[in-house]
Amino acid sequence: MGYSVRLESRTSSATRLEVVTAGLFLRRLQADPALDGVACVIFDEFHERQAEADLALALVRQARSLLRPELRLLVMSATLDLAPLASELDGAAVISCEGRSHPVAVTYQPPRPDERLDRQVLRALEGHWLAEPEPRGTALVFLPGLGELETARRAIEATAWGEGLELALLHGQLPLAAQGRAIAAPQGAAGKVVLATSVAESSLTIAAVTVVIDSGLSRRSRFDPATGMDGLVTQPASQASAEQRSGRAGRLGPGRCLRLWSPAEQQRRAAFDPPELLEVDPLPIALQLAEWGETEDDSLPWLTAPPRRPLAEARDLLLQLGAVDGQGRITGHGRAMARLGLHPRLAHMLLRAKERGWESLATAMAVLLSERDPLDRREAGSDLMRRLDWLRRSPGPEGSGRGAGRAPWTNLQSQLLRQLREGRKAAAPVAAPAAFASGGGSDDVRAAQLLAWAYPERLALGRGRGDGRFLMRGGRGAVLPPGDPLAAAEALAIASVDGQGQEARVRLAVALSRSGLEELVAEEIEEETEARWDGTDQRVRCERLRRSGALVLERRPWPDASGELVERALLEGLERLGLEVLPWCRTSRQLQQRLMLAHRHLGAPWPDRSPERLQQDPGAWLGPHLGGLRSLQDLQQLDLSEILWGDLDWSLRRELDRLLPLSQPVPSGRRVPLDYGSGTPVLAVKLQEMFGCLEGPTVLDGRLPVRVELLSPAGRPAAVTSDLAGFWSQGYAEVRRELRGRYPRHPWPEDPRQGVASARTKAALAREARGESR
């Protein structure tokens, strides 16, 4: 049995079983689709549905059908339901092998209200592991990521029982020696606690595990097609993942698993995690397909095909990088990118660097961006140049702590440098590369140029406040954590981001001056003119711009902008602010309501002046009146009443006054204003002034009754009706009883239809009848 990984191979002529990574297998498959000398390909742990494994299976199935029908395929998984998979694989046989596992008792510990995850872990350890008699085994705690591991570690060390406890962290970024210590059996009778990410589900076997504490959370990389960025998301682990984790407690004997959620939640969880192909950056897949000669989406026998739109966008990006031609066929540049075995963006960066003689710097950057961060970001910040400085320094002892022991990185850099310089994969280790140029500025500029080749859309300008907020060339915002050394930079060439969230979080970047950024994009600067609404100053800005993508590099006044552009920008501002900012007054609002009523009941030629129509197309009614106006203050000059009339001639204006008058005569002899503000004509009049009126008033030639608000002698509402005759018959008597007691000096006839209409008191009416004056 032998193995082959990225930097190491242990095989011989006697090897009958070789274990390889999925990435390395894809490289072999691309070089030899027939897989000469291979009798069987085994896909282990297939339930993980890694993107490279899914792609490799699809390519092998196609190659098998065309070149090697006798080639055997074996797909293995401890948790996957293989029957549906077998039907997808042309009715493959299903072989079941019941493993020798010990029983695992599964219990649940749901979180208490507002209980933090680290407190849940402490409660679980104290109640279920410390209660075991010594000698204890290993308690394996599954947590979603490195941050949660560190938080839990500090919480355990702060307890009385945690002092001196054998405690280890296990995650994918650990050096090999530290991983070995983490998976080893406990050294004493007190037992051991291992805080681990999902790497401990199947990739590594931990000795002497008797208790598993599962947070039920996993952290997955997810690609956002809208932004073209990867980001890490924390989500509930699937049922299959939970089953795999609990099984770790039953390897050596009966064990226990404590899940930090409820049984009901367990039933609601997804059966399996989604295939990576549906969530990861499709660019590496697109390059692999192009190298395979696959330009159609439907010809490969996928188990789960990658999403069409992101894959099409990835192919467009490969075209921009020069990796494929207009027909999607791989170019020589694309083949050279594929041979490097890196992400296509980094491979493109290396090949461009080779043209400039910058191989050493580029390979160092590629290694730093492909592997785990060698420095603690909380201490080193986001400056990529600090990582490059670290890589220059003399190596420290392997495993002597994070930030020491450069060997893994320098070995990878040596490998890449050999591949890049020779144009083929290195067959043997080479010496570490000579240190690249030092001296600050030169390396900064070169590193920024390299990143601009790899991630042109991530060049970013500060937003002017020096607070770590930037705008990237692709149009997305980016932020640095408070106190980061790069926060005050004028510009950045961003290497790594977490794309989840409203704004991308910068992980690694190189600081730039504004002029340095302009040099990087000099060939892609466009000049354009713009008339836009400035929401800060509430006015139209007309400017000439120099820009690259979303980055505006310079603004200059543009005094001769056309009136049409200014009008369009003014209307854009009005759309943001809303029509309420216009100089409305009672007169213009009354006219708006009257025109609305006329349109609603009579139609043409009366225009629709409803708020919805006015907001929908403000240019149609406001446009002709905006000449020479540029600001919100200028808009206050508008005569909205005249604008609302539009092009209606004077005869129609007089007709509107007849149909929907501004006032209404009442029996007392007065003309009382009508209020159209509510959308219905309202006549507010003292009840006594309507005595003798047999029918209520109407408008629109009798089509629409006026709503009458009958007031007390003091002007307070007493009754409301749109049917005055009905009110006299049914409602007046009750209102009369109430008002007679309150206002005894005023007349309240039993029959209001026979009463004298007047707002005066009884004494005043008597004097008037006698011809007296007060």
Side-chain angles (χ1 to χ4, degrees):
M1 179 175 174
Y3 68 89
S4 295
V5 293
R6 187 174 181 184
L7 292 178
E8 188 177 1
S9 180
R10 291 289 185 269
T11 60
S12 70
S13 59
T15 301
R16 293 294 176 263
L17 178 64
E18 182 182 4
V19 180
V20 298
T21 62
L24 187 58
F25 177 68
L26 279 170
R27 299 299 325 132
R28 291 189 183 178
L29 187 60
Q30 293 280 10
D32 178 16
L35 293 176
D36 289 334
V38 176
C40 179
V41 179
I42 302 172
F43 292 86
D44 194 15
E45 304 287 359
F46 195 74
H47 59 273
E48 295 180 359
R49 297 300 300 272
Q50 295 177 352
E52 289 183 329
D54 266 33
L55 173 63
L57 180 59
L59 298 185
V60 168
R61 291 177 67 193
Q62 187 182 68
R64 180 175 179 269
S65 65
L66 298 174
L67 304 173
R68 291 279 309 280
E70 77 282 4
L71 181 66
R72 295 183 178 184
L73 300 182
L74 179 59
V75 178
M76 300 199 308
S77 170
T79 59
L80 193 62
D81 183 1
L82 294 178
L85 180 60
S87 64
E88 290 284 343
L89 296 175
D90 305 320
V94 177
I95 303 173
S96 296
C97 179
E98 296 297 331
R100 293 182 179 180
S101 61
H102 297 276
V104 175
V106 177
T107 56
Y108 293 85
Q109 178 189 285
R112 293 167 178 167
D114 302 322
E115 186 178 26
R116 299 195 316 265
L117 182 56
D118 59 319
R119 307 308 301 178
Q120 294 180 59
V121 170
L122 289 181
R123 183 157 60 94
L125 286 170
E126 291 169 349
H128 296 269
W129 181 68
L130 289 175
E132 288 185 352
E134 294 187 358
R136 298 190 194 96
T138 295
L140 174 59
V141 182
F142 282 101
L143 295 165
L146 184 55
E148 290 82 1
L149 297 185
E150 293 286 358
T151 301
R153 177 185 62 79
R154 290 193 294 270
I156 292 171
E157 290 176 344
T159 65
W161 53 267
E163 184 177 354
L165 177 71
E166 188 176 355
L167 179 62
L169 271 58
L170 182 59
H171 51 84
Q173 298 182 14
L174 278 181
L176 188 60
Q179 284 189 10
R181 290 192 295 271
I183 66 177
Q187 298 299 307
K192 177 181 181 179
V193 174
V194 176
L195 306 174
T197 63
S198 57
V199 70
E201 281 187 32
S202 56
S203 301
L204 297 169
T205 298
I206 302 168
V209 175
T210 58
V211 173
V212 166
I213 297 173
D214 186 1
S215 69
L217 300 173
S218 64
R219 188 156 294 152
R220 295 171 62 91
S221 178
R222 183 172 295 171
F223 179 76
D224 184 354
T227 63
M229 296 180 187
D230 281 309
L232 293 174
V233 295
T234 302
Q235 61 188 34
S238 65
Q239 294 182 18
S241 178
E243 185 69 19
Q244 185 84 356
R245 294 177 181 185
S246 66
R248 292 290 165 173
R251 293 293 180 90
L252 301 178
R256 290 180 294 155
C257 174
L258 182 65
R259 293 173 176 169
L260 305 185
W261 64 97
S262 68
E265 185 182 345
Q266 169 70 5
Q267 297 303 313
R268 292 193 297 266
R269 294 191 171 200
F272 298 96
D273 291 322
E276 273 192 355
L277 271 177
L278 301 180
E279 298 182 335
V280 297
D281 181 358
L283 192 62
I285 302 297
L287 182 60
Q288 291 276 3
L289 293 176
E291 186 181 15
W292 188 256
E294 195 67 38
T295 59
E296 302 295 331
D297 290 338
D298 300 325
S299 58
L300 274 180
W302 296 102
L303 290 181
T304 303
R308 287 177 177 269
R309 182 175 175 182
L311 189 59
E313 292 172 351
R315 286 169 171 156
D316 290 341
L317 181 53
L318 289 179
L319 180 62
Q320 296 173 32
L321 297 177
V324 298
D325 61 19
Q327 285 70 48
R329 297 187 296 260
I330 195 165
T331 62
H333 183 66
R335 291 191 185 280
M337 287 168 57
R339 280 195 298 269
L340 289 172
L342 293 171
H343 189 283
R345 288 179 181 267
L346 297 179
H348 174 70
M349 178 189 78
L350 289 183
L351 294 175
R352 292 295 304 270
K354 184 179 179 181
E355 298 169 2
R356 299 283 187 96
W358 299 351
E359 297 100 318
S360 184
L361 175 61
T363 51
M365 289 176 58
V367 168
L368 288 169
L369 297 178
S370 300
E371 302 299 318
R372 64 181 175 89
D373 191 345
L375 304 183
D376 188 332
R377 192 175 293 111
R378 292 170 298 183
E379 299 175 1
S382 303
D383 191 354
L384 180 60
M385 300 308 297
R386 292 191 63 175
R387 277 75 178 171
L388 291 168
D389 291 341
W390 171 85
L391 201 56
R392 288 191 186 101
R393 294 200 298 266
S394 60
E398 175 64 24
S400 59
R402 194 167 188 181
R406 297 183 309 146
W409 288 268
T410 53
N411 288 343
L412 284 171
Q413 187 187 2
S414 299
Q415 174 83 354
L416 277 178
L417 199 56
R418 170 67 67 87
Q419 289 179 243
L420 189 60
R421 287 175 174 169
E422 296 187 0
R424 58 183 175 81
K425 187 172 182 179
V430 297
F436 36 87
S438 59
S442 176
D443 277 350
D444 289 357
V445 172
R446 292 178 181 181
Q449 177 63 78
L450 291 168
L451 293 177
W453 285 330
Y455 306 102
E457 75 283 1
R458 295 185 191 172
L459 294 172
L461 267 180
R463 301 189 200 179
R465 292 185 285 271
D467 58 355
R469 299 176 69 246
F470 295 82
L471 176 66
M472 291 189 287
R473 188 165 173 254
R476 187 128 188 254
V479 293
L480 285 164
D484 192 281
L486 302 185
E490 290 183 320
L492 295 177
I494 298 175
S496 174
V497 293
D498 182 350
Q500 297 296 318
Q502 186 174 1
E503 293 190 303
R505 296 189 297 275
V506 179
R507 294 186 176 275
L508 291 174
V510 173
L512 279 170
S513 65
R514 189 182 184 94
S515 60
L517 184 142
E518 290 196 31
E519 290 179 12
L520 291 179
V521 298
E523 296 181 1
E524 299 168 333
I525 293 178
E526 299 176 346
E527 296 201 8
E528 59 185 51
T529 54
E530 176 184 81
R532 63 181 176 86
W533 179 258
D534 184 339
T536 302
D537 293 337
Q538 303 288 287
R539 63 177 300 106
V540 174
R541 295 285 181 195
C542 300
E543 298 170 320
R544 295 184 181 276
L545 308 179
R546 291 176 63 248
R547 72 187 310 154
S548 178
L551 302 182
V552 177
L553 305 173
E554 183 183 10
R555 296 183 183 272
R556 303 190 307 275
W558 180 33
D560 51 347
S562 69
E564 180 182 354
L565 289 176
V566 173
E567 177 186 321
R568 190 182 306 160
L570 195 60
L571 290 171
E572 175 192 333
L574 192 58
E575 182 178 355
R576 293 185 194 173
L577 297 171
L579 298 181
E580 296 303 316
V581 301
L582 293 174
W584 295 99
C585 62
R586 177 179 172 80
T587 301
S588 56
R589 284 297 192 192
Q590 287 278 76
L591 177 58
Q592 179 192 10
Q593 295 292 342
R594 292 163 68 208
L595 290 171
M596 285 171 54
L597 283 171
H599 176 79
R600 185 186 308 156
H601 292 278
L602 303 177
W606 307 106
D608 183 0
R609 297 306 192 205
S610 64
E612 295 78 18
R613 175 52 69 89
L614 295 183
Q615 186 70 55
Q616 180 182 7
D617 189 8
W621 62 285
L622 272 180
H625 306 275
L626 297 180
L629 307 184
R630 290 201 172 202
S631 68
L632 179 59
Q633 185 175 357
D634 292 343
L635 289 174
Q636 304 311 305
Q637 306 171 16
L638 295 173
D639 182 348
L640 291 183
S641 293
E642 190 61 34
I643 294 172
L644 288 170
W645 280 117
D647 56 0
L648 292 177
D649 60 35
W650 284 101
S651 63
L652 287 174
R653 297 189 185 195
R654 290 194 297 271
E655 179 67 3
L656 185 67
D657 286 341
R658 186 188 69 80
L659 292 170
L660 294 166
L662 290 171
S663 61
Q664 175 77 29
V666 296
S668 67
R670 285 197 313 128
R671 290 195 69 88
V672 179
L674 286 170
D675 184 0
Y676 293 90
S678 65
T680 298
V682 175
L683 179 70
V685 61
K686 290 183 178 180
L687 187 151
Q688 298 153 291
E689 293 189 76
M690 298 300 291
F691 289 161
C693 184
L694 303 181
E695 298 289 338
T698 61
V699 293
L700 291 174
D701 289 334
R703 293 183 178 86
L704 183 64
V706 173
R707 188 171 68 202
V708 182
E709 291 187 355
L710 298 168
L711 309 177
S712 71
R716 298 186 180 93
V720 177
T721 182
S722 296
D723 178 12
L724 188 62
F727 172 75
W728 292 145
S729 300
Q730 301 176 12
Y732 171 72
E734 184 177 347
V735 173
R736 175 177 178 265
R737 278 194 302 272
E738 183 178 347
L739 295 183
R740 259 182 96 186
R742 291 186 182 181
Y743 306 98
R745 298 173 56 196
H746 292 263
W748 302 103
E750 291 188 7
D751 186 356
R753 288 163 291 209
Q754 302 298 321
V756 176
S758 174
R760 299 183 179 184
T761 63
K762 290 184 286 187
L765 289 173
R767 287 196 300 271
E768 182 179 336
R770 293 194 301 267
E772 299 177 5
S773 61
R774 187 169 179 175

